[in-house]
Amino acid sequence: MTDEPHKPAKRPLTLRDVSEASGVSEMTVSRVLRNRGDVSDSTRARVLTAAKELGYVPNKIAGALASQRVNLVAVIIPSLGNMVFPQVLTAISEVLDQTPLQPVVGVTNYLPEREEKVLYEMLSWRPSGVIIAGLEHSDASKAMLRGAGIPVVEIMDTDGTPIDSMVGISHRRAGRMMAEAIMKAGYRKIAFLGTKMPLDHRARKRFEGFTEALAKKGLEIVDQEFYDGGSSLAKGREMTARVLERSPEVDFVYYSNDKIGVGGLLHCLDAGIDVPGRLGLAGFNNISLLDGFSKRLATMDSGREEIGRRAAEIIAARVEAGSDEMAGERIELSPTISRGDTLRARPAGGDYPE
Amino acid sequence: MTDEPHKPAKRPLTLRDVSEASGVSEMTVSRVLRNRGDVSDSTRARVLTAAKELGYVPNKIAGALASQRVNLVAVIIPSLGNMVFPQVLTAISEVLDQTPLQPVVGVTNYLPEREEKVLYEMLSWRPSGVIIAGLEHSDASKAMLRGAGIPVVEIMDTDGTPIDSMVGISHRRAGRMMAEAIMKAGYRKIAFLGTKMPLDHRARKRFEGFTEALAKKGLEIVDQEFYDGGSSLAKGREMTARVLERSPEVDFVYYSNDKIGVGGLLHCLDAGIDVPGRLGLAGFNNISLLDGFSKRLATMDSGREEIGRRAAEIIAARVEAGSDEMAGERIELSPTISRGDTLRARPAGGDYPE
DNA sequence: CTGAAAGCGCTAACAC
DNA sequence: GTGTTAGCGCTTTCAG
């Protein structure tokens, strides 16, 4: 073998190059590189040496085309800015790391058209499965998912009918649970602060469940405000200040996520408002943003770690088995409330008339 | 055309199916679907109808193999948990959205072996370019990058020699700048809190630049502490408390990132420590974590938005032109300090003896 | 244990 | 404008 310095490598190397360099047929080289079939130790060694020497990187495109197998799982999520999704992703990766499968991420920014485009692009690579956030998709997206002939797991939400499998929580139930906990603690003048919800279906469902549970006890939202764009502490702060000024009777604020919730909490601390005595607060998602604060915001854990894990397990099992045994699996997890320091039974509370 | 309900679709559709359904040759169907070459409006329409009717999704694997072109850009970053990287990613996506290129993300968790594996996997899909964080890679990784014969942009850091192009800031300089600003403000008993740095080269370089600048003025770090694993407010809190107890003379703490820096700030606020009078604080990265706080932490912007944008532009230009005109481009951006509310000239300060 | 032939689904290049 | 032919780099299948 030559000892010349490695050249710029204009044409990428092929199996053939390794075959020639090692004096072994392409087929056998391929076997060695994939650990398939029996190959004598001596030829194996020769091939491996040659491949490393040359710096050969197999061409998966050709491999996938020939074998009709692509070990990719499309994971389609709305955003990377909301830490919830990186966390789900991490859980997915941990499971898939034990398998030959690999996640490939697509981001939709909560836009259905964008989701459609991302999905189309990903499906055109013929992945082995799809994990996609939410149950709401355009008709075209649904058609693509159904037509792809691969396992599809819709995650995060269970309020609706999945295309195939689903793993998540009921956000309606989550909203109801929080409303009940708040009322039970004795709060009565409740406000809501959240994103504009036409596209964030899960936030909308929580809101619906929340108001529904209030209505059942004869209560209504006292005040509410919605914002555009991403969440930030600053927004939570400002909106909270405005609501409290506009509706001083408010004794609880329910936020659609922890980030603006913590912003609200900061406002209260600065303004010297007694939390949770004069005012209670709660968010959603149990984002670890909180864990260094003197006061922990009441929130709800959506089980995103488990969601990611179980979704990946379903895909892995179905791809591996080739069987459709787990097809149509529907897993609803239970969200759990953590009261933190901002949702406590009030002296007069806990005695809600049934 | 049949009006039967869409069947489960066992075998994915191929160009041939569309060809038969529309009565147009495969080649022409291909032209229509890619908007290449001239096709009469009537055949175009027939093809488009048939394709949509069937729900055909092109097979990019076959397309890529045939055309020897893959419009993917591998983006390799250490983590998604540190918001800096999603932000870089967003900037990259925005630029690539204007082109036929698409980013594909790989995460290394700061582990060189993992980087090597991720890189290998991504390169085996023959992407059109690579954007990778950092200048430190294993020999094997460097060999792969050099051998791939595609544009490579190393981002975030400029303290070292790139394989091809680089876009970033000098973290050594960033550390020096912060040290100088701190000394100039009149602080003298300076402590450092950060991650264990064997694998986080950029944090290490900042630390080195920092101590070097102190040394130039005859100062040394008074105390320091390092932590394992991810950053959190809680860690920043605890470590700060420990340092202040152990070394009560400390008048400034420099953190390796904003998250633990804010944790430290929270500790100070709770403990009633006068910031920045009695104690100054500074972090790194200008993470928007801060923008709702009553006190803003002093920090430094690493220009990650611009880094992502320029890196993507280099790749896009080189892929489009096919030329190597921008090969070897080296762009060093200037970090900017923002003093926030935790780094202010002290009454006795500003008079450092030259 | 190893090799030869065929072909995965698409597109480049060239006819017509 | 449209069709035909060859082949991308690999794996499947079958023969030895």
Side-chain angles (χ1 to χ4, degrees):
Chain A
M1 59 201 80
T2 77
D3 260 320
E4 305 180 23
H6 292 257
K7 298 170 193 162
K10 214 53 259 179
R11 172 184 63 78
L13 297 163
T14 69
L15 256 193
R16 170 175 223 112
D17 295 307
V18 182
S19 166
E20 285 171 358
S22 63
V24 176
S25 78
E26 286 187 40
M27 196 51 237
T28 301
V29 173
S30 170
R31 285 198 183 94
V32 171
L33 266 24
R34 285 177 300 146
N35 276 315
R36 292 288 173 120
D38 293 325
V39 181
S40 75
D41 286 350
S42 64
T43 43
R44 169 183 310 283
R46 271 201 297 162
V47 169
L48 256 20
T49 315
K52 183 176 294 180
E53 201 94 11
L54 296 171
Y56 172 70
V57 177
N59 185 332
K60 285 213 178 175
I61 301 191
L65 183 61
S67 67
Q68 304 284 11
R69 246 173 305 119
V70 182
N71 285 329
L72 298 177
V73 177
V75 181
I76 298 175
I77 56 178
S79 141
L80 284 173
N82 184 341
M83 286 296 283
V84 172
F85 297 106
Q87 287 169 6
V88 173
L89 257 181
T90 300
I92 291 172
S93 298
E94 277 168 7
V95 172
L96 295 186
D97 270 356
Q98 327 269 78
T99 75
L101 298 169
Q102 284 188 19
V104 181
V105 183
V107 175
T108 69
N109 294 321
Y110 287 100
L111 301 174
E113 324 89 69
R114 180 117 191 128
E115 176 178 278
E116 204 172 303
K117 198 186 151 207
V118 167
L119 186 57
Y120 184 83
E121 294 290 336
M122 306 214 93
L123 289 181
S124 71
W125 289 100
R126 299 285 186 269
S128 295
V130 177
I131 296 176
I132 185 167
L135 293 164
E136 283 76 19
H137 315 288
S138 71
D139 288 343
S141 294
K142 284 185 193 167
M144 282 191 269
L145 287 169
R146 258 189 286 272
I150 54 178
V152 174
V153 183
E154 289 164 282
I155 57 170
M156 311 308 285
D157 188 4
T158 60
D159 293 320
T161 309
I163 289 168
D164 176 359
S165 304
M166 69 181 175
V167 182
I169 63 168
S170 161
H171 286 259
R172 263 187 246 283
R173 181 150 87 94
R176 278 201 304 273
M177 283 172 63
M178 189 55 92
E180 283 156 9
I182 291 168
M183 290 187 293
K184 192 157 184 192
Y187 296 96
R188 292 293 176 276
K189 305 292 187 182
I190 301 164
F192 179 88
L193 292 185
T195 48
K196 288 215 174 89
M197 296 174 290
L199 297 173
D200 187 341
H201 299 284
R202 293 179 286 286
R204 174 177 54 73
K205 289 170 182 174
R206 287 197 298 280
F207 181 63
E208 289 168 2
F210 189 74
T211 53
E212 182 192 310
L214 292 187
K216 208 169 263 171
K217 301 284 188 188
L219 291 185
E220 269 189 8
I221 294 278
V222 167
D223 196 353
Q224 60 191 47
E225 194 161 320
F226 302 96
Y227 64 94
D228 271 324
S231 311
S232 74
L233 298 184
K235 275 182 195 161
R237 245 194 138 89
E238 296 157 15
M239 292 171 71
T240 304
R242 269 201 301 278
V243 164
L244 293 180
E245 185 167 14
R246 193 166 55 212
S247 315
E249 75 276 24
V250 163
D251 62 10
F252 200 99
V253 186
Y254 180 41
Y255 297 88
S256 72
N257 66 61
D258 281 354
K259 198 140 184 199
I260 54 168
V262 171
L265 175 56
L266 286 173
H267 167 76
C268 294
L269 294 180
D270 282 2
I273 296 170
D274 168 23
V275 175
R278 147 86 184 80
L279 185 74
L281 305 171
F284 180 81
N285 249 332
N286 198 16
I287 270 299
S288 60
L289 229 191
L290 319 167
D291 55 345
F293 271 96
S294 42
K295 277 204 193 224
R296 286 161 306 133
L297 183 71
T299 186
M300 194 169 240
D301 193 301
S302 52
R304 55 203 176 284
E305 194 274 334
E306 185 174 0
I307 288 175
R309 188 164 48 70
R310 311 245 344 224
E313 283 167 359
I314 291 175
I315 297 282
R318 288 181 58 185
V319 169
E320 202 152 342
S323 87
D324 285 348
E325 203 174 315
M326 293 180 88
E329 187 93 326
R330 299 177 184 202
I331 300 177
E332 181 180 330
L333 307 176
S334 297
T336 54
I337 289 184
S338 68
R339 289 194 151 59
D341 304 305
T342 65
L343 168 52
R344 294 278 167 211
R346 317 180 87 182
D351 51 66
Y352 202 90
E354 293 297 322
Chain B
M1 59 201 84
T2 78
D3 261 320
E4 305 178 23
H6 292 258
K7 297 170 194 161
K10 216 49 260 179
R11 172 185 63 77
L13 297 162
T14 69
L15 257 193
R16 170 175 223 112
D17 295 307
V18 183
S19 166
E20 284 170 358
S22 62
V24 175
S25 78
E26 286 187 42
M27 196 54 234
T28 302
V29 172
S30 169
R31 287 196 182 95
V32 171
L33 265 25
R34 287 178 298 146
N35 275 316
R36 291 291 174 115
D38 293 325
V39 181
S40 76
D41 286 351
S42 65
T43 43
R44 169 184 309 284
R46 270 201 299 162
V47 169
L48 255 21
T49 315
K52 182 176 296 181
E53 201 93 10
L54 296 171
Y56 172 69
V57 177
N59 185 331
K60 285 214 179 175
I61 300 189
L65 183 61
S67 67
Q68 304 283 27
R69 249 176 302 115
V70 182
N71 285 328
L72 298 178
V73 176
V75 181
I76 298 175
I77 56 179
S79 141
L80 284 173
N82 183 342
M83 286 297 283
V84 172
F85 297 107
Q87 288 169 5
V88 174
L89 257 181
T90 301
I92 291 172
S93 297
E94 278 169 6
V95 172
L96 296 187
D97 270 356
Q98 327 267 79
T99 76
L101 297 170
Q102 283 189 21
V104 182
V105 183
V107 175
T108 68
N109 294 322
Y110 288 100
L111 301 173
E113 324 87 73
R114 182 122 188 123
E115 176 178 277
E116 205 173 302
K117 199 185 150 208
V118 168
L119 187 57
Y120 185 83
E121 294 290 336
M122 306 214 92
L123 288 181
S124 71
W125 289 101
R126 299 285 186 268
S128 295
V130 176
I131 296 176
I132 185 167
L135 293 163
E136 284 75 20
H137 316 288
S138 71
D139 288 343
S141 294
K142 284 185 192 166
M144 281 191 269
L145 287 169
R146 258 190 285 272
I150 55 178
V152 174
V153 183
E154 289 165 280
I155 58 170
M156 311 308 285
D157 189 2
T158 60
D159 293 319
T161 309
I163 289 169
D164 176 358
S165 304
M166 70 179 174
V167 183
I169 64 168
S170 162
H171 286 259
R172 261 186 247 283
R173 180 148 87 94
R176 276 202 304 275
M177 283 172 63
M178 188 56 92
E180 284 155 8
I182 291 169
M183 291 187 291
K184 192 157 184 190
Y187 297 96
R188 292 293 175 277
K189 305 293 188 182
I190 300 165
F192 179 88
L193 293 186
T195 49
K196 288 217 173 87
M197 296 174 291
L199 296 174
D200 187 341
H201 299 283
R202 293 179 286 286
R204 175 176 54 73
K205 289 171 182 174
R206 287 198 298 279
F207 181 62
E208 288 168 2
F210 189 73
T211 52
E212 181 191 312
L214 293 187
K216 209 168 263 171
K217 301 284 188 187
L219 291 185
E220 270 190 8
I221 294 279
V222 167
D223 196 353
Q224 59 192 47
E225 194 160 318
F226 302 96
Y227 65 94
D228 270 324
S231 311
S232 73
L233 298 184
K235 275 183 196 163
R237 247 193 137 88
E238 294 157 15
M239 292 171 70
T240 304
R242 270 200 302 277
V243 164
L244 292 180
E245 185 167 13
R246 193 166 54 212
S247 314
E249 74 275 24
V250 163
D251 62 10
F252 201 97
V253 185
Y254 180 42
Y255 298 88
S256 73
N257 66 60
D258 281 355
K259 198 141 183 198
I260 54 167
V262 171
L265 176 55
L266 286 173
H267 167 76
C268 294
L269 295 179
D270 282 1
I273 296 171
D274 168 23
V275 174
R278 148 84 183 82
L279 185 73
L281 305 171
F284 181 81
N285 249 332
N286 198 17
I287 270 298
S288 60
L289 229 192
L290 320 168
D291 55 345
F293 271 96
S294 42
K295 277 207 192 221
R296 286 161 307 134
L297 182 71
T299 187
M300 194 169 240
D301 193 302
S302 53
R304 55 204 174 284
E305 193 274 333
E306 184 174 0
I307 289 175
R309 188 164 48 70
R310 310 245 344 224
E313 283 167 358
I314 291 175
I315 297 283
R318 288 182 57 185
V319 169
E320 202 152 342
S323 87
D324 285 350
E325 203 174 316
M326 293 179 88
E329 187 94 325
R330 298 177 185 202
I331 300 177
E332 181 180 329
L333 307 176
S334 297
T336 54
I337 289 184
S338 68
R339 289 194 151 59
D341 304 305
T342 66
L343 168 51
R344 294 278 168 213
R346 317 180 86 181
D351 52 65
Y352 201 87
E354 293 294 324

